Amino acid sequence: MNDYEVIIGLEVHAELSTNTKIYCNCTTEFGADPNTHCCPICTGMPGTLPVLNEKVVEYAVKAGLAMNCEISRFSKQDRKNYFYPDLPKAYQISQYDLPLCEHGNIEITVGKDKEKYKKNIGITRIHIEEDAGKLIHDAFTGDTLVDLNRCAVPLIEIVSEPDIRSADEAVAYMQTLKSILEYLEVCDCKMQEGSLRCDVNLSVRKRGQKEFGTRTETKNLNSFRAIYNSIEFEIKRQIEVLENGGKIIQETRRFDDVKNIGYAMRTKENADDYRYFPEPDLAPIVLSEEYIEKIKNALPEMPHIKKERYMSKYGLPEYDAEQLTASKYVAKFFEEANDICNNPKAVSNWIMSDLFRLLNENEIEITSCKITSENLAKLILLIDKGTISSKIAKQIFEEMFENGKNPEDIVKEKGMTQISDENAIKEMVEKVVSNNPQSVTDYKAGKDRALGFLVGQIMKETKGKANPQIVNKMLIEILNK
Amino acid sequence: MSVSKEEVKHIAVLSKLQLTDQELEKYTSDLSNIVDFANELSNVDVDGTKPTAHILDIKNVFRKDEVQPSYDREEILKNAPSKDAGCVSVPKVVE
Amino acid sequence: MDLYSLTLTDIAKKIKDKEVSIKEVLDSVYSRIEEVEPKVDAYITLTQSQAYERAEKLQQKLDNNEDIGILGGVPIAIKDNICTKGVKTTCASRMLENYTPIYDATVIKKLEDAGAIVIGKTNMDEFAMGSSTETSYIKKTKNPWDLTRVPGGSSGGSAAVVSSDMAFAALGSDTGGSIRQPASYCSVVGLKPTYGLISRFGLIAFASSLDQIGPFTKTVEDAALMLNVISGHDKMDTTSANLEKVDYLKAIVNDVKGKVIGIPTDFITDGINKDVREAYDKAIDTLKNVGAKIQEIKLEYAKYSLATYYIIATAEASSNLGRYDGIRYGYRAKDFEDLDDLYYKSRTEGFGAEVKRRIMLGTYVLSSGYYDAYYKRAQQVRTLIIENFKEAFKLCDSILIPTAPNTAFKFGEKSENPLEMYLEDIYTVPVNIAGLPAISIPGGFDSENMPIGIQFIANSFEEEKLLNIAYTFEQNTDYYKNKPNI
């Protein structure tokens, strides 16, 4: 396996989060009843014409600038002709030889700890195009049903250079793209809804061999796991074929996420002569310096810049800064919480340990989490003021995650306030000391473990609410009298 | 013949059209005649001439990103030869 | 004089002045249709019930002294490739034989906003592909001047209904001459406006960069009136020009003194019928006599227009007609094995021979390996043709050429050899290639009393100049007063 080098290029499709479709005024909202977000234009009825949504150009240019692309001053749209039931006009309006953005690159970070490395991945182009409809298999009749709600939702296709060398790099690339698109707010990046998905072009060649091997294209992968697994599968398959003296056939493939296997799609005869030609129903897109400058100046802080700032301004370690800035929503959560409690390391720790663990266990996104940034800040303040112990805080955090309650309310309701009143603690210490003479003797004989036992007894009495520092101080005072 | 039968067969496939043998003969000859005629363009010196991108001098014709109501599904599906469950229905798509 | 034989301008005035009721006008036209249509076969669909319903509403408004628009109550016919909500729009194809649009084309909205009444949909070549209306799947339209001859095409039905007084005006579409050539064959006025002047939204596309809607009328003044109604910017059509609204009726002035008429001597050469040539020369004299200056011009690339046209038009058509796949609307074959079979059979059975020929030619010129040699080169030659016209219009106000090299031919005469049929478009296609406005008006008759059309071409968006010159020519000749004996 090590004798082979893997060459991967990704074509990522990102649905733009515009209000309306690319060429008509139908909504792009997800999840409606089939064919209810349709009009004569997006269903390709005879006589209809497209008019381009201005936001599509703006969003694509944003993405291009964030990925260090050159923005085309003159760009046009083209027709890609093929027959398929999800494509009502029998052509997709896309961009062929003059895409909106070209020649960009992004930096990715791959691996962890000692094996961690950075790498630049080239972006060949970013172009705008329309999405196709959705085909639903009708198990009852055996027919296929066509839902055109998604048809003509705007997409950008981001094509990478064949710079990717492993499944890990592919996933890191995809994560970085997702993070950039989220930061820009041009795509909601809900992979499970298909608003961010990719096609993987993959070939292998013997190390030292100059020319590329024959590549295959695995289409429509919409989770990081599927991307990873399909690549591992395809690498293994191609090497096996070659090792057995076979040849790789250039083909389009699918990956079954559940069974974890890839398979070739039924090949269509001559299907890849798309007969591209300039779309006569649309005008060229001519962008001025002012237009591009204006978008450039309005770009939000990108993740890698934010990361640097988190390290210098908040004094966070690189690892923390990277984790917190990978998602725009996590970064936002962090900043909001810290603005209130001004304890960056504590906020960072809570997010990276407890919050991430609970989000993972429950498979939800931070945006749909019940804990607000404000409530996390309040929880941290309660600890900082000594109102609660950090042990109690963990319990409260779990409850906040469950029901979204304010931590102050939880503390009040359950009487979880820490006991810091010295007189009250003194009384308790005296009681425990008089009830455990043996331990007192042991302590005086130099057995340190006896002290721990006594502290434990006091905490038990107070259901963990006694301030442990005060308990310690008092106990030693009394024992040493 | 400037267009071969094989080529006509190929473009019939791309166009999703079936041809009888007789039609194949006829279209091969028709297309050859038309293509021969069109080949007169190869006499024109087009060096340095830009292809017409658009007949009008237009650019940047955009629409505002504002939602308008979609059509009733019944209307959208009105002309469909076969429908089911609010969708157009087609024979099983095999991938 | 029967109401149906009046001009658009006159009937609109009579209705407005309440000299006649809208119902009387409709009765007159529909009885004329009943009398003549069985001989001419120009309508695919008649819309009596909707028309009378609309007439009643308009009449009520008029009786209440409300404004019913400049075409208030006037019956108009529409070529059957322009979408009419709730009324079948077939493109004269088996593919769309039962297709009913769910929206109105922009021109239909504009006509109805101006008070016009749609009385029926007219026959045409299938998907507007043809020059004789013989490729219609629905019926064979005859030339009202001689029922053994074609009316021209592709808007043959629209030309025939205006020529035989079955409508006061009609809409057609012109991709390579489809308004002007049948207008010439049937002795009516046919105007092809500048590309972009009239919205194409709702016009079922043949070749998107060439298609343009325009009117058929009995006089040049009527054409100006129609243009006032249907022109103007439409935000539903990216290629619709955003210009200030013009009152074209102001151009209806009988005076061309000092206007320069260009004669492209290098373009009008062989292959032109002797009688057409004579009529053309006579037209030049007529213009000279009313004070126009005659200027020889060169259009050296115009002769390449036809080849250019057949590459660009068929390429665009092959893509535009992909949507007719038997899935969402239109013809679906009865028996099929699977999805692919459904595609093949529906398209093979749904399209006629000429449509298939053009789809295949267009597919060929776009297919891998041929794009540069055909499509790209054609677009380069197109640039040269456009430049040619630009230069020419520096020397003249309008170019005069025949509309067609011949007069109407007999059925079947040219349908065996497609190329021969295409050559009928030699004088009309350069205009579409360059996106210019042009008008065909009656310019004489041949030895068999078949009409001859004369064509004026103007620079982009100079419809006013075009109408002024055409009107002056019309008023100083009386060809337009002749009517077919039917």
Side-chain angles (χ1 to χ4, degrees), chain A residues 18-22 24-26 34-38 40 45 51-55 83-84 138 142-146 254 266 270 280 282 284-286, chain B residues 10 13-16 53-54 58-68 70-71 73 75-77 84-95:
Chain A
T18 52
N19 298 323
T20 64
K21 294 188 177 182
I22 184 165
C24 68
N25 294 82
C26 286
N35 297 303
T36 54
H37 292 170
C38 297
M45 289 190 190
V51 183
L52 180 58
N53 181 345
E54 62 181 359
K55 282 281 171 204
F83 290 91
Y84 211 65
D138 184 340
D143 287 344
T144 294
L145 302 176
V146 187
R254 290 270 190 202
R266 207 175 64 137
N270 305 294
L282 289 165
I285 302 163
V286 183
Chain B
H10 171 67
V13 167
L14 287 177
S15 317
K16 299 262 187 232
H54 231 289
I58 51 169
K59 58 179 184 191
N60 300 343
V61 181
F62 299 138
R63 176 177 60 73
K64 292 249 176 285
D65 186 29
E66 288 161 2
V67 176
Q68 280 169 19
S70 294
Y71 274 55
R73 179 158 75 186
E75 288 281 287
I76 292 294
L77 300 177
D84 187 19
C87 293
V88 175
S89 127
V90 298
K92 188 177 177 184
V93 174
V94 188
E95 278 181 344

Side-chain angles (χ1 to χ4, degrees), chain C residues 72-133:
Chain C
V74 179
I76 307 274
I78 308 291
K79 186 177 181 179
D80 213 18
N81 61 349
I82 296 172
C83 290
T84 41
K85 185 177 176 177
V87 174
K88 270 200 270 180
T89 300
T90 68
C91 280
S93 178
R94 184 183 194 191
M95 187 57 91
L96 293 179
E97 201 181 356
N98 294 306
Y99 176 70
T100 305
I102 62 167
Y103 73 97
D104 272 323
T106 300
V107 285
I108 299 297
K109 284 190 186 158
K110 283 182 181 276
L111 278 176
E112 294 196 335
D113 286 348
I117 299 176
V118 174
I119 53 167
K121 305 291 296 283
T122 60
N123 196 22
M124 54 187 278
D125 279 300
E126 185 182 5
F127 283 101
M129 296 178 184
S131 307
S132 64
T133 312

Side-chain angles (χ1 to χ4, degrees), chain A residues 238-249:
Chain A
Q238 288 196 10
I239 291 174
E240 261 172 32
V241 170
L242 293 175
E243 285 294 298
N244 292 327
K247 263 189 165 178
I248 304 298
I249 306 160

Side-chain angles (χ1 to χ4, degrees), chain A residues 89-283:
Chain A
K89 301 189 297 296
Y91 57 82
Q92 179 194 32
I93 306 178
S94 180
Q95 296 194 284
Y96 184 55
D97 55 340
L98 296 172
L100 264 178
C101 319
E102 283 183 285
H103 314 304
N105 64 80
I106 60 171
E107 189 188 70
I108 62 168
T109 306
V110 195
K112 266 189 181 175
D113 307 326
K114 271 187 191 163
E115 273 147 41
K116 188 162 114 173
Y117 63 95
K118 286 183 195 306
K119 185 171 176 177
N120 256 318
I121 305 294
I123 305 285
T124 314
R125 56 186 279 160
I126 302 176
H127 68 251
I128 56 173
E129 62 183 28
E130 53 181 339
D131 208 345
K134 210 170 80 183
L135 299 180
I136 309 157
H137 181 63
D138 184 340
F140 185 65
T141 60
D143 287 344
T144 294
L145 302 176
V146 187
D147 172 11
L148 296 175
N149 281 350
R150 196 183 66 180
C151 194
V153 165
L155 292 177
I156 48 175
E157 180 173 329
I158 305 160
V159 183
S160 86
E161 291 289 309
D163 291 344
I164 298 165
R165 292 289 173 271
S166 67
D168 281 323
E169 287 187 8
V171 168
Y173 170 77
M174 194 66 176
Q175 278 167 336
T176 309
L177 270 194
K178 179 171 186 268
S179 149
I180 293 172
L181 294 172
E182 275 179 359
Y183 268 87
L184 295 171
E185 296 183 358
V186 299
C187 172
D188 68 15
C189 296
K190 289 180 182 160
M191 295 180 82
Q192 70 282 9
E193 289 179 9
S195 58
L196 184 70
R197 53 190 197 260
C198 79
D199 304 338
V200 173
N201 286 297
L202 188 150
S203 66
V204 298
R205 65 178 169 195
K206 283 252 178 186
R207 287 198 189 277
Q209 182 182 315
K210 268 195 189 136
E211 59 277 10
F212 288 128
T214 306
R215 66 187 163 86
T216 62
E217 181 179 18
T218 304
K219 282 207 165 292
N220 246 331
L221 301 162
N222 62 358
S223 74
F224 293 118
R225 196 183 56 202
I227 293 168
Y228 187 90
N229 290 343
S230 72
I231 290 174
E232 290 287 298
F233 177 91
E234 186 59 12
I235 294 171
K236 212 172 138 222
R237 187 191 72 87
Q238 288 196 10
I239 291 174
E240 261 172 32
V241 170
L242 293 175
E243 285 294 298
N244 292 327
K247 263 189 165 178
I248 304 298
I249 306 160
Q250 187 170 344
E251 62 188 1
T252 308
R253 302 176 60 85
R254 290 270 190 202
F255 186 73
D256 184 325
D257 207 5
V258 182
K259 294 183 190 148
N260 217 20
I261 49 164
Y263 57 94
M265 280 172 75
R266 207 175 64 137
T267 44
K268 287 179 243 151
E269 32 184 354
N270 305 294
D272 53 356
D273 191 344
Y274 292 124
R275 290 156 287 134
Y276 280 100
F277 74 103
E279 167 58 281
D281 289 329
L282 289 165

Side-chain angles (χ1 to χ4, degrees), chain C residues 248-400:
Chain C
Y248 295 100
L249 283 169
K250 286 194 176 142
I252 300 304
V253 179
N254 184 353
D255 178 15
V256 291
K257 277 183 205 75
K259 289 271 160 40
V260 182
I261 306 296
I263 307 295
T265 41
D266 60 341
F267 184 43
I268 305 162
T269 49
D270 318 331
I272 180 167
N273 170 295
K274 184 174 69 60
D275 292 346
V276 175
R277 177 85 224 193
E278 261 172 41
Y280 178 64
D281 290 339
K282 211 169 156 194
I284 297 173
D285 288 340
T286 304
L287 288 160
K288 260 191 220 165
N289 291 340
V290 292
K293 286 183 195 156
I294 304 300
Q295 166 77 49
E296 194 178 307
I297 55 157
K298 283 199 160 42
L299 290 174
E300 56 173 323
Y301 290 108
K303 62 172 182 254
Y304 297 112
S305 296
L306 207 54
T308 304
Y309 171 79
Y310 273 93
I311 292 167
I312 295 171
T314 57
E316 291 177 3
S318 72
S319 171
N320 284 330
L321 272 64
R323 69 188 68 197
Y324 308 107
D325 56 6
I327 291 185
R328 291 159 312 282
Y329 44 74
Y331 179 79
R332 183 184 277 201
K334 298 280 164 299
D335 301 303
F336 45 84
E337 281 163 22
D338 55 21
L339 178 66
D340 222 33
D341 201 36
L342 165 76
Y343 280 138
Y344 276 103
K345 289 213 172 101
S346 301
R347 288 171 62 80
T348 302
E349 294 166 18
F351 289 135
E354 182 60 24
V355 172
K356 287 183 205 171
R357 182 160 32 239
R358 297 204 195 185
I359 288 174
M360 286 200 287
L361 180 60
T363 304
Y364 177 81
V365 299
L366 288 177
S367 64
S368 151
Y370 292 114
Y371 182 88
D372 282 0
Y374 293 106
Y375 188 80
K376 189 178 166 205
R377 179 168 279 265
Q379 292 289 15
Q380 287 173 310
V381 176
R382 187 179 197 176
T383 304
L384 295 172
I385 296 168
I386 293 170
E387 292 298 323
N388 243 202
F389 276 108
K390 270 191 191 151
E391 287 304 309
F393 284 118
K394 285 180 185 165
L395 300 174
C396 63
D397 294 297
S398 175
I399 295 169
L400 177 69

Side-chain angles (χ1 to χ4, degrees), chain B residues 2-61:
Chain B
S2 50
V3 182
S4 70
K5 273 191 202 173
E6 285 313 306
E7 284 178 309
V8 175
K9 277 187 195 163
H10 171 67
I11 57 179
V13 167
L14 287 177
S15 317
K16 299 262 187 232
L17 293 170
Q18 287 166 333
L19 303 181
T20 62
D21 290 348
Q22 213 182 346
E23 284 170 328
L24 180 62
E25 295 283 344
K26 168 85 172 124
Y27 282 122
T28 304
S29 131
D30 284 354
L31 292 192
S32 291
N33 287 338
I34 303 168
V35 165
D36 284 342
F37 172 68
N39 278 335
E40 71 173 38
L41 294 191
S42 59
N43 302 326
V44 184
D45 178 10
V46 292
D47 277 358
T49 306
K50 271 194 179 173
T52 297
H54 231 289
I55 191 82
L56 295 169
D57 185 23
I58 51 169
K59 58 179 184 191
N60 300 343
V61 181

